[in-house]
Amino acid sequence: MPANASSSTKSAPAPTGGGGRGVRILSTGVGMPSRTLTNADLERLMDTSDEWITQRTGIRTRRIVDHDAGECTLTMATDAARMALERGGVRGADLDFVILATMSPEMLCPPTACRIAARLGAGGRGARAGGAMDLFGACTGYVYGLNIAHDLIKGGSYDRIMVLGGDTLSRLMDYSTAGRGTAIIFGDAGAGALLIADPDPRLGIIAQSMHSDGEGWKEIFVPQEARDFPEGVPPDPAKFGRVQMNGATVFKFAVGTFPNLIQETLDKANLRPEDIDMVISHQSNARILQAARDRFGIPEDKFYINIDRYGNTVAASVPLCLHELVMAGRVKPGMKVMFVAFGAGLTWGSSLWQM
Ligand code: UT7
């Protein structure tokens, strides 16, 4: 993606509509943790096997933070933002807004995004200080963030928004046999993209969707106290602060929802599967992704899978895929790219872009 040095000053939020403007994904970045957690490492921690994990999920290794060295959601997402700024030729001070999709912020208060904005030079006390917020959308958070940021720019009030995804699920895992059904799939990462206004009104989102079903909350949740456990599930203090997931139920939800989500988005855009140049999906399980790919007859090179190397990195998985594809020259201006995700909430959403 070509760098586009932004020489203009930071926009004062304008009350006017966006008129004929478009929105462009200018640049991307990643911030990866330093440690690696392989299936062989997990074999030493719990009763599992490389064969079981590979066959059921397609995952071979994941990256996780070195907590003692200070690595965390804040540092990974900040690194990703700095890379995107540098690659886009934009100064942090020129950002209008920073969105961090996450389910593992540093603390419940303040929003981690505010600390990221400060580190980027985007915040401050003056009229030019950019806004910042965390978006709690679990695995769908990044796609929600893309849709929201796009429409804020398209509407004309903002020109440059950093949309980040960062999660440190290793802090919320039980790496013993009791937690093996969940701990094997998650990894840590930070990644993101810089969205900017573009004079070409054809650029940006062609179709989008955002859905939720809160009745399904108990399929993935992180209890903090006894009353957080669903009816019929005995509260267990050992599970406080640890992700609880009904993997098989979520698997069925994902396999059922995924094709509907893709079809709904194609219908809204009046496009066929073959019109899409790349599908970038949340990386949850290689079998879920392959099932959706086969259902629509999408060739392998147009449906990206990198879960084998990173596992499920929650809100970071979609921008991590995007960054890798951009760096490899496989996502370029002129392409139609469909982002899709689903996860806790339950939530699911899509964002189909004319790049
Ligand atoms: O991104 C957010 C959303 N999350 C997802 O999309 C996750 C979707 N779900 C999945 O990917 C899969 O459900 C898992 C990979 C998490 C689990 O695979 P599964 O095929 O659904 O396994 P299961 O939970 O139904 O368990 C089957 C068996 C059980 O043993 P029994 O009762 O049949 O004897 C488990 O105890 O596999 C056992 N098992 C394991 N064995 C070895 C569960 N985890 C492991 C493990 N190693 N890590």
Side-chain angles (χ1 to χ4, degrees), residues 47-48 52 56-57 139 180-181 184-185 220 245 247-248 250-251 282 284-285 287-288 312:
D47 179 14
T48 191
W52 193 97
R56 302 274 179 141
T57 69
C139 297
R180 68 180 181 172
I184 51 137
I185 72 168
I220 315 179
M245 181 175 78
V250 177
F251 190 95
H282 168 54
S284 55
N285 180 318
R287 287 190 295 148
I288 296 173
N312 177 342

Side-chain angles (χ1 to χ4, degrees), residues 7-342:
S7 55
S8 63
T9 54
K10 186 172 184 170
S11 56
T16 53
R21 63 172 23 193
V23 182
R24 189 145 63 96
I25 296 179
L26 175 67
S27 56
T28 60
V30 290
M32 298 306 287
S34 59
R35 292 178 60 202
T36 298
L37 185 68
T38 65
N39 291 350
D41 294 328
L42 289 171
E43 283 176 352
R44 286 187 279 276
L45 295 169
M46 60 181 74
D47 179 14
T48 191
S49 67
D50 174 47
E51 192 190 1
W52 193 97
I53 299 171
T54 310
Q55 278 182 3
R56 302 274 179 141
T57 69
I59 302 167
R60 294 183 182 279
T61 187
R62 334 135 178 78
R63 302 284 289 273
I64 60 167
V65 297
D66 183 342
H67 183 67
D68 295 339
E71 293 174 352
C72 57
T73 300
L74 170 63
T75 60
M76 293 187 295
T78 304
D79 288 348
R82 285 195 174 121
M83 188 189 292
L85 286 172
E86 194 181 324
R87 295 193 62 246
V90 172
R91 296 180 316 149
D94 290 332
L95 289 175
D96 296 316
F97 205 61
V98 175
I99 296 175
L100 172 67
T102 186
M103 63 170 271
S104 48
E106 295 315 311
M107 293 178 262
L108 282 179
C109 181
T112 300
C114 296
R115 297 172 69 188
I116 295 171
R119 290 183 180 199
L120 300 177
R125 299 282 169 99
R128 285 167 49 85
M133 71 169 186
D134 289 357
L135 193 165
F136 286 83
C139 297
T140 315
Y142 196 81
V143 171
Y144 277 16
L146 279 181
N147 290 343
I148 292 166
H150 172 277
D151 286 5
L152 285 174
I153 295 173
K154 185 82 181 170
S157 294
Y158 302 96
D159 289 341
R160 299 174 202 90
I161 301 182
M162 183 67 75
V163 187
L164 302 165
D167 267 305
T168 311
L169 269 278
S170 62
R171 302 278 295 151
L172 306 177
M173 291 297 121
D174 170 4
Y175 287 111
S176 74
T177 298
R180 68 180 181 172
T182 302
I184 51 137
I185 72 168
F186 291 104
D188 303 335
L194 176 55
L195 276 51
I196 62 162
D198 192 280
D200 184 347
R202 290 167 302 179
L203 302 191
I205 292 180
I206 310 167
Q208 60 161 293
S209 69
M210 299 197 276
H211 300 290
S212 76
D213 174 17
E215 295 294 330
W217 73 270
K218 49 183 128 19
E219 308 309 346
I220 315 179
F221 65 104
V222 185
Q224 302 296 341
E225 54 178 320
R227 72 174 196 180
D228 291 340
F229 287 80
E231 224 177 295
V233 178
D236 177 357
K239 293 179 176 167
F240 293 174
R242 301 274 178 261
V243 174
Q244 307 299 308
M245 181 175 78
N246 291 324
T249 311
V250 177
F251 190 95
K252 276 187 214 129
F253 156 72
V255 169
T257 305
F258 212 163
N260 296 340
L261 182 60
I262 294 176
Q263 191 61 55
E264 172 197 351
T265 314
L266 289 170
D267 289 346
K268 280 182 178 172
N270 202 18
L271 293 173
R272 298 160 302 169
E274 52 270 35
D275 297 324
I276 306 302
D277 297 298
M278 186 65 72
V279 177
I280 299 182
S281 171
H282 168 54
Q283 305 285 303
S284 55
N285 180 318
R287 287 190 295 148
I288 296 173
L289 302 175
Q290 280 151 3
R293 196 170 67 189
D294 293 348
R295 164 86 180 265
F296 287 92
I298 301 171
E300 273 186 34
D301 62 337
K302 289 187 169 187
F303 198 121
Y304 194 56
I305 297 182
N306 67 6
I307 193 170
D308 51 315
R309 286 174 285 140
Y310 305 112
N312 177 342
T313 57
V314 192
S317 86
V318 164
L320 177 55
C321 290
L322 173 64
H323 178 75
E324 290 198 334
L325 287 164
V326 167
M327 295 306 285
R330 291 174 59 190
V331 163
K332 294 185 268 213
M335 286 185 165
K336 288 186 176 56
V337 177
M338 187 191 288
F339 300 92
V340 282
F342 48 85

